[in-house]
Amino acid sequence: MSVASPKNFEHTISKKLRSNVLKIALFATGLAGIVAEYVLSTLATYFLGDSVFQWTIIVSMMLFSMGLGSRLSKIFEKDLLQKFIYVEFTLSIFSAFAALLAYTAAAFTMYTGFIIYAFSILIGLMIGLEIPLVIRLNDEFEELKVNISSVMEKDYYGSLLGGIFFAFVGLPYLGLTYTPFVLGLINFLVALLLLIVLWTAIATKVKKRLGLTAFLVALVLASGIFLAKPIILFGEQQRYKDKIIYQKQSRYQKIVITQWKDHHWLYINGNQQLSSLDEQMYHEPLVHPAMKLLPAVKDVLVLGGGDGCAVREILKYSEVENITVVDLDPAMTDLGKTHPVLLELNQGALLNKKVEIINDDAFHFLENTNQYFDVVIIDLPDPKTVELGRLYSLEFYTLASKQMRPNGTIITQAGSPYFATKAFYCIDKTMAEAGFKTQPMHNQILTLGEWGWVIGVKTEYPKPNLKENLQQLSFTEVETAWLNQEAMQLMTSFGKKFFLSDHDDLEVNTVHNPVLYKYYLDGNWDIY
């Protein structure tokens, strides 16, 4: 029986070590690559809107660019290891600074999208170079079928871990400020690991150049990490005309509070949700008409409304026994319970013992709840995406109807009848299709412009004209800052300005035919 010589044994170990290092590198870059796609897609959605479109375009552009990168890799004939290390150094810079440059660009130009799309192409090209180079480098260590399968396997495994990292750690805890720098560090450490372990395989004249490059990249990354927060805050501040006093990137959305003199504004993903200057002109019409149509209300469901202002209005009715608030984002409801600005606005409403807060998707909640409600109040963001449009769908209103008691009322904020007329009437038509007797309403809100709601009654109201019943409502028994009977007469009257001649041609918004977000995006927002 022959015994392997120490020299051969060391050679075998060396080959195995080099092969494993290459696979570890690809696992790490697979993780970083998929997270880079998610970061850029989230950035594009935040700055440009329409999440379905942006995620589709960014991911498609990156995959196409990866194909181009793979094609370009064939022009590299020599010094493959050296070139792979340079690719990793380049990727570390691109990945780390994509978000910073996007925020900086947002402060000075309207063309932030071009920056984001450009980075998606550049990063895609670099990622596309990685796999072919690693396969060729690993070719001397493993036979072809093992080489290809093991290399691809590690890359795909890394992608899974990257997705988990982004969803549960990156976005909710590190946000778009520091997640990109984690990616940059991963690519940098991969390059550094290859440089150290495979040092002897690198030509002597190249070692100094690679070492200097590593030092410079480390310096740039360290500087970026140090400056990231103030730069992003600067870029973010330019998107708002008033001073930012609070901002948080949660797992679901970017929450910002700004201040001007003694007044405050709440924004979600850059869109105003309320202003302390005039929020009563929004929340009073959202709550009181639906409450006053019924002789007594015991159980109220609020879908959205994590700021607590709608709950504040509901609590003015002493007969109410239970208020269930369903808001997807715990960051929003926690803010409504703890932040001084919102606590002052909502008067501590979310801390009231009558209030139960459930952090869940509103659609999912309605599908699974066994509770029944007298009034359902829907205070959700505008239906500008497919995901949000689902919460204004026929299926959604049908689910709500099943959990409502006879003669129960439902009301939803419905965007602007002026700026998004078709979307507004689509919501009205969709709610009516679910079996509700409906009536659209509108009000001029100082900081939002012309805004609207759609109110519905589950069964035929005792009097045939819901509009007349709304106009006759009296609010003398409840304390309101703005709403009264005269206001209700104005809110339920629409002149020619808001008349839609092709109302009958509008489609009903359903989960499988999500037309609402298209109507919304086709609105006259350029004049807002």
Side-chain angles (χ1 to χ4, degrees), residues 19 22-23 134-142 147 151:
S19 178
L22 287 170
K23 292 172 189 174
V134 169
I135 288 175
R136 290 165 65 186
L137 284 166
N138 199 45
D139 186 53
E140 64 175 292
F141 307 132
E142 293 178 335
N147 181 16
V151 165

Side-chain angles (χ1 to χ4, degrees), residues 26-40:
L26 208 57
F27 177 87
T29 56
L31 184 157
I34 199 74
V35 177
E37 291 184 24
Y38 297 157
V39 166
L40 289 168

Side-chain angles (χ1 to χ4, degrees), residues 339-413:
H339 197 281
V341 168
L342 293 184
L343 277 175
E344 182 178 355
L345 277 179
N346 64 36
Q347 298 172 13
L350 296 182
L351 301 173
N352 191 285
K353 62 181 180 180
K354 293 182 179 181
V355 178
E356 179 187 11
I357 296 174
I358 299 174
N359 295 120
D360 193 6
D361 173 73
F363 202 106
H364 180 263
F365 172 82
L366 289 174
E367 283 182 313
N368 293 280
T369 186
N370 293 318
Q371 296 175 264
Y372 289 89
F373 304 94
D374 302 299
V375 175
V376 175
I377 295 171
I378 304 172
D379 186 17
L380 295 165
D382 289 352
K384 59 175 58 181
T385 66
V386 172
E387 303 97 312
L388 287 170
R390 170 173 161 264
L391 303 178
Y392 295 80
S393 67
L394 174 62
E395 293 86 348
F396 184 71
Y397 295 135
T398 301
L399 286 171
S401 178
K402 289 179 180 178
Q403 302 310 131
M404 291 170 60
R405 296 191 176 104
N407 297 314
T409 58
I410 184 172
I411 189 167
T412 182
Q413 85 86 13

Side-chain angles (χ1 to χ4, degrees), residues 138-399:
N138 199 45
D139 186 53
E140 64 175 292
F141 307 132
E142 293 178 335
E143 60 178 311
L144 182 62
K145 64 179 182 179
V146 176
N147 181 16
I148 292 178
S149 64
S150 61
V151 165
M152 300 301 289
E153 173 192 30
K154 300 302 183 295
D155 183 66
Y156 296 149
Y157 289 169
S159 297
L160 172 62
L161 185 60
I164 294 171
F165 165 78
F166 183 76
F168 294 101
V169 180
L171 192 58
Y173 294 105
L174 301 175
L176 295 178
T177 304
Y178 295 113
T179 297
F181 282 96
V182 172
L183 308 185
L185 284 172
I186 288 173
N187 291 117
F188 175 75
L189 291 174
V190 163
L192 204 60
L193 178 66
L194 290 169
L195 194 58
I196 293 170
V197 174
L198 305 179
W199 184 257
T200 56
I202 301 171
T204 304
K205 62 181 181 180
V206 177
K207 289 179 180 177
K208 286 185 178 180
R209 194 160 61 236
L210 285 172
L212 178 60
T213 303
F215 174 76
L216 292 175
V217 170
L219 191 62
V220 170
L221 289 176
S223 301
I225 293 171
F226 179 74
L227 296 172
K229 192 169 183 178
I231 289 175
I232 285 186
L233 181 59
F234 171 77
E236 187 80 332
Q237 182 64 72
Q238 304 312 303
R239 303 189 70 206
Y240 303 92
K241 56 186 178 183
D242 302 314
K243 180 184 177 183
I244 293 175
I245 62 168
Y246 175 88
Q247 63 172 325
K248 179 180 177 63
Q249 174 67 60
S250 76
R251 181 179 173 186
Y252 303 102
Q253 56 201 359
K254 182 67 174 282
I255 304 170
V256 171
I257 297 177
T258 65
Q259 179 179 7
W260 176 73
K261 294 186 177 180
D262 295 329
H263 294 288
H264 298 87
W265 279 254
L266 172 67
Y267 295 88
I268 291 180
N269 289 339
N271 301 301
Q272 181 184 323
Q273 303 303 301
L274 63 82
S275 167
S276 61
L277 187 68
D278 57 9
E279 55 84 14
Q280 298 95 335
M281 300 177 76
Y282 172 88
H283 288 107
E284 290 182 359
L286 176 70
V287 172
H288 295 296
M291 298 289 289
K292 295 293 287 186
L293 278 175
L294 296 177
V297 177
K298 291 185 177 181
D299 300 293
V300 181
L301 173 64
V302 180
L303 300 173
D307 53 70
C309 292
V311 176
R312 176 199 67 207
E313 297 301 314
I314 297 168
L315 286 170
K316 293 178 180 179
Y317 297 84
S318 59
E319 70 269 20
V320 171
E321 296 177 358
N322 302 293
I323 304 170
T324 303
V325 177
V326 179
D327 193 298
L328 179 63
D329 194 350
M332 188 64 248
T333 51
D334 289 345
L335 199 67
K337 291 188 294 183
T338 60
H339 197 281
V341 168
L342 293 184
L343 277 175
E344 182 178 355
L345 277 179
N346 64 36
Q347 298 172 13
L350 296 182
L351 301 173
N352 191 285
K353 62 181 180 180
K354 293 182 179 181
V355 178
E356 179 187 11
I357 296 174
I358 299 174
N359 295 120
D360 193 6
D361 173 73
F363 202 106
H364 180 263
F365 172 82
L366 289 174
E367 283 182 313
N368 293 280
T369 186
N370 293 318
Q371 296 175 264
Y372 289 89
F373 304 94
D374 302 299
V375 175
V376 175
I377 295 171
I378 304 172
D379 186 17
L380 295 165
D382 289 352
K384 59 175 58 181
T385 66
V386 172
E387 303 97 312
L388 287 170
R390 170 173 161 264
L391 303 178
Y392 295 80
S393 67
L394 174 62
E395 293 86 348
F396 184 71
Y397 295 135
T398 301
L399 286 171

